[in-house]
Amino acid sequence: MTNENLHALLAKFVKVNANVTDVQWDRRMSPRLLFNPYSNIYEEKKIAAHYFLLAASILDDQMVGFSENARTLLINLHKEFGTQRLFEITKPHLFNDEIVKYGFYNYLGPRKDTIAETLTAVNIFVKFKAERDLLRYSQKFVKPKDFVDELSKSIERMRDVHKHKAWTYMRWMVRPDPDLEIFKQYTPEDLLVPLTKENASVAISLGLINATLPYLLKDEFAALKAQTKITDYAKRIFPHDPAKVDYPFFLLGRWLKRKNLKRNTLKEALQFFERIQKITGQPQAHYQKLSRYKSGWEKETARMLMRMHIPYGYETITFPLPGEQYTPDFILDIEINGRKIVLEPHYEMNLKQSSKYSLFKQTYGHKFMLILLLKNDLITSFNKRNILTSDVCDDIWPIEFVGLLIDKIKTGEYGQDKK
């Protein structure tokens, strides 16, 4: 494939996926925001501008882990304090006392201790510098870059190596639907593409840069140089709206995780997504859905994976299927013959579920290996009822022995007979 064909394929992918709503206000997801982010009422726009600055400030893997954690955390704080108090808190302990109570606290990132201080820094900035009105305050600056520079001076976790969060915020505030277009005086043409690890992975695959995060973030000059290269490339495709590539590049970057970052790998990913789009007629997989373990077997599976130090995601991706969608329980960061392993614990099975797994295998089977974990004494019954036909999954394993399965996966013993 020529460079021109690769660029054309990438441009098509961006156009298809650029209209996906950001996870921070996606109405399909729960919990839901307590206000309308698209409202045209001035006072509600002020709320949205302040609220999403709080969200952007903590949108960091080290702080919240998954993006959904930032969403869920802020919505819970909003419910607890109400709008007025949420925006007025300037003492970190008031936030922290509430945050540590949440059941998902341990799912947050290793630097979760910085969340409360960062939220209060945003409130102090809005209260004293912006005089509680970010819309009016934003009009002091000619370009988005000027506003970004001001944010980085005032909020520690949005400066230097964390400046990409300020650019994410500006994307939300400046771009039109599905973004919020609250700062209408700015033009999308002046936005820089945020330097996230996902965007960096796509840039490396394209040959634009040769270092990924966190190495890029050790030097502010190197980070800005890389961000400029990514933005210049995006302008070749969308000269008046380079940040349009941000969410589609996020999707690609997630897909490329732990893969060899080369043009051919990127080409294969784009061709795969194009094929799925044609089969399902839906946008691509939605990433980073925050969920909790729903059964004892799921908790046991998670415990064994952690014990064996096998990285995994729990209900982190929702895949489109013809006529429906499927969110696997566990996706392991381990591959067998180029296919990632999916573990699906079940106590009961029915024909509807088996049909969904069969669709998943047909659609994504060359990229994922689906292993059902079922109670040993029920497997025979499911077979007799024609629930577990040969097209449903790649393997069935007694859930009572999930530890043995995970041990075999860890040591590389599992799958030797499947080559």
Side-chain angles (χ1 to χ4, degrees):
M1 176 176 283
T2 65
N3 288 344
E4 289 74 18
N5 288 339
L6 178 62
H7 299 324
L9 197 59
L10 184 58
K12 182 179 179 181
F13 177 85
V14 171
K15 289 176 182 177
V16 168
N17 291 281
N19 292 324
V20 177
T21 305
D22 196 279
V23 68
Q24 298 306 322
W25 61 86
D26 189 342
R27 295 180 183 180
R28 298 167 304 173
M29 295 179 59
S30 181
R32 295 196 175 191
L33 296 179
L34 305 184
F35 62 95
N36 176 11
Y38 293 108
S39 174
N40 288 317
I41 300 172
Y42 189 86
E43 287 301 316
E44 293 189 11
K45 283 181 174 290
K46 282 171 55 180
I47 291 172
H50 190 159
Y51 185 92
F52 289 113
L53 183 55
L54 290 170
S57 72
I58 61 173
L59 202 60
D60 184 324
D61 289 354
Q62 291 293 305
M63 296 174 74
V64 296
F66 293 122
S67 297
E68 277 81 344
N69 286 357
R71 173 194 175 115
T72 305
L73 179 68
L74 274 179
I75 291 174
N76 276 277
L77 290 173
H78 197 184
K79 287 178 180 176
E80 175 66 24
F81 295 118
T83 301
Q84 184 173 354
R85 191 170 176 223
L86 174 69
F87 292 168
E88 291 292 324
I89 291 175
T90 56
K91 295 181 179 179
H93 76 87
L94 295 177
F95 278 132
N96 196 61
D97 289 349
E98 190 62 30
I99 293 170
V100 297
K101 296 177 185 177
Y102 298 141
F104 58 88
Y105 180 74
N106 290 330
Y107 292 85
L108 300 174
R111 293 303 312 278
K112 52 182 171 281
D113 59 302
T114 62
I115 293 174
E117 186 176 346
T118 301
L119 294 176
T120 55
V122 170
N123 282 349
I124 290 169
F125 170 78
V126 176
K127 182 176 182 179
F128 295 106
K129 281 218 168 182
E131 298 178 329
R132 296 185 173 89
D133 190 339
L134 283 166
L135 276 71
R136 186 174 60 208
Y137 183 73
S138 69
Q139 293 172 3
K140 293 177 58 176
F141 307 100
V142 177
K143 300 280 189 179
K145 179 185 179 300
D146 304 324
F147 197 177
V148 165
D149 289 341
E150 190 62 29
L151 288 172
S152 69
K153 290 177 188 175
S154 304
I155 304 167
E156 182 179 359
R157 298 295 296 190
M158 298 186 86
R159 74 173 60 129
D160 300 331
V161 298
H162 305 294
K163 213 169 188 176
H164 66 276
K165 293 191 285 187
W167 281 108
T168 296
Y169 176 68
M170 295 307 294
R171 188 204 99 195
W172 295 346
M173 295 297 106
V174 175
R175 290 196 71 252
D177 187 81
D179 291 316
L180 305 176
E181 201 178 13
I182 290 176
F183 297 159
K184 291 182 178 292
Q185 73 274 22
Y186 299 140
T187 172
E189 187 174 352
D190 292 324
L191 294 173
L192 295 187
V193 179
L195 183 63
T196 63
K197 63 179 181 293
E198 292 84 10
N199 291 346
S201 292
V202 176
I204 292 170
S205 301
L206 287 166
L208 302 177
I209 60 177
N210 56 19
T212 186
L213 275 61
Y215 305 106
L216 278 174
L217 298 184
K218 292 181 178 180
D219 183 295
E220 186 178 3
F221 175 77
L224 178 59
K225 186 177 179 181
Q227 186 178 22
T228 302
K229 285 187 175 182
I230 295 171
T231 302
D232 287 345
Y233 176 82
K235 283 187 174 182
R236 288 172 51 190
I237 311 174
F238 305 104
H240 302 298
D241 189 8
K244 185 174 184 174
V245 308
D246 189 31
Y247 184 78
F249 276 21
F250 164 76
L251 284 175
L252 280 173
R254 280 278 161 178
W255 190 260
L256 295 170
K257 184 180 178 182
R258 300 184 186 275
K259 289 182 170 59
N260 196 3
L261 299 177
K262 293 185 176 181
R263 287 177 181 266
N264 193 55
T265 311
L266 177 61
K267 178 198 73 173
E268 290 175 355
L270 289 167
Q271 289 174 335
F272 170 72
F273 279 125
E274 185 176 48
R275 185 173 71 86
I276 296 305
Q277 175 76 21
K278 290 177 180 177
I279 292 173
T280 66
Q282 301 180 52
Q284 314 306 334
H286 298 288
Y287 285 79
Q288 291 186 269
K289 177 181 175 184
L290 179 65
S291 300
R292 310 293 168 224
Y293 306 125
K294 301 178 182 68
S295 71
W297 285 120
E298 290 181 359
K299 291 178 182 177
E300 177 63 13
T301 302
R303 188 182 71 82
M304 295 302 302
L305 289 168
M306 288 187 284
R307 180 181 170 185
M308 297 288 183
H309 303 288
I310 296 178
Y312 69 91
Y314 175 75
E315 293 195 346
T316 52
I317 307 177
T318 296
F319 292 92
L321 295 171
E324 60 175 313
Q325 58 186 23
Y326 167 49
T327 306
D329 282 344
F330 296 92
I331 300 180
L332 279 51
D333 274 346
I334 287 182
E335 294 186 358
I336 295 178
N337 299 328
R339 301 164 73 201
K340 281 195 173 182
I341 299 172
V342 173
L343 300 182
E344 189 72 41
H346 262 294
Y347 181 79
E348 282 290 344
M349 278 279 293
N350 56 45
L351 287 172
K352 182 178 180 181
Q353 289 169 326
S354 67
S355 175
K356 180 167 64 176
Y357 298 146
S358 179
L359 276 175
F360 176 76
K361 186 181 176 186
Q362 292 171 38
T363 310
Y364 300 93
H366 65 298
K367 293 289 186 180
F368 294 90
M369 174 183 291
L370 176 59
I371 304 174
L372 296 182
L373 305 176
L374 304 172
K375 279 185 67 67
N376 194 33
D377 58 356
L378 294 178
I379 293 174
T380 301
S381 171
F382 294 147
N383 279 320
K384 287 180 178 178
R385 290 156 54 194
N386 289 322
I387 291 176
L388 297 176
T389 52
S390 60
D391 64 334
V392 170
C393 61
D394 294 279
D395 198 5
I396 299 165
W397 194 273
I399 199 166
E400 295 90 341
F401 305 109
V402 64
L404 177 60
L405 169 65
I406 292 172
D407 181 65
K408 286 179 175 291
I409 291 172
K410 176 70 174 181
T411 61
E413 183 180 349
Y414 181 85
Q416 292 299 314
D417 59 341
K418 301 182 185 298
K419 291 183 179 180

